[in-house]
Amino acid sequence: MPRRSIWKGSFVDAFLLRMKNQREILLSRKIWSRRSSISPEFVDCSVRIYNGKTPARCKITEGKVGHKFGEFASTRKRRPSRTNIGPGRKGKKFSLSAIWHEKEIRFR
């Protein structure tokens, strides 16, 4: 994956640059800029990152510095696994030999 040039530096939106100095405003701030990089000034802040529908709460830690805000707000909806949805065909078991036997009867 191509990386941004080192001489350009990391990308941070202009309004986030202004918010770095005012931490108390940043604590209750919604962030729409998912493409902005997380800088060390944001550590120990709790921000809400927009995921396309609603803002998702995210606590910024030292391990997240250098990543993008959008990496921590999933845009996809989690769906439960198919095993947890309804009873389905629980009691019926099919074997391949039974299916092949039915096909032979049809073609005779």
Side-chain angles (χ1 to χ4, degrees):
M1 182 174 191
R3 293 183 56 190
R4 186 173 169 90
S5 297
I6 294 173
W7 65 269
K8 289 182 184 178
S10 61
F11 175 79
V12 180
D13 259 342
F15 85 95
L16 285 174
L17 286 173
R18 289 191 303 258
M19 291 294 150
K20 280 185 188 179
N21 301 331
Q22 304 166 349
R23 285 180 68 89
E24 54 277 345
I25 294 174
L26 185 64
L27 291 174
S28 61
R29 187 75 180 178
K30 292 181 188 174
I31 296 176
W32 272 266
S33 177
R34 296 170 52 86
R35 62 188 180 161
S36 296
S37 296
I38 299 174
S39 59
E41 288 84 6
F42 296 122
V43 173
D44 294 332
C45 289
S46 181
V47 295
R48 293 183 292 169
I49 305 166
Y50 190 65
N51 66 4
K53 187 176 181 182
T54 58
R57 191 173 304 272
C58 181
K59 175 90 170 152
I60 306 299
T61 59
E62 289 182 15
K64 295 179 181 179
V65 172
H67 292 269
K68 305 284 186 180
F69 279 108
E71 294 181 45
F72 305 107
S74 178
T75 58
R76 307 288 174 153
K77 196 174 197 179
R78 289 188 181 171
R79 293 182 4 198
S81 63
R82 296 294 293 170
T83 56
N84 296 338
I85 300 175
R89 294 189 291 168
K90 196 171 192 177
K92 299 179 183 178
K93 292 186 179 178
F94 290 102
S95 64
L96 291 176
S97 61
I99 295 171
W100 285 107
H101 183 68
E102 288 178 19
K103 287 183 180 179
E104 287 178 12
I105 293 172
R106 274 192 239 149
F107 291 121
R108 287 187 184 171

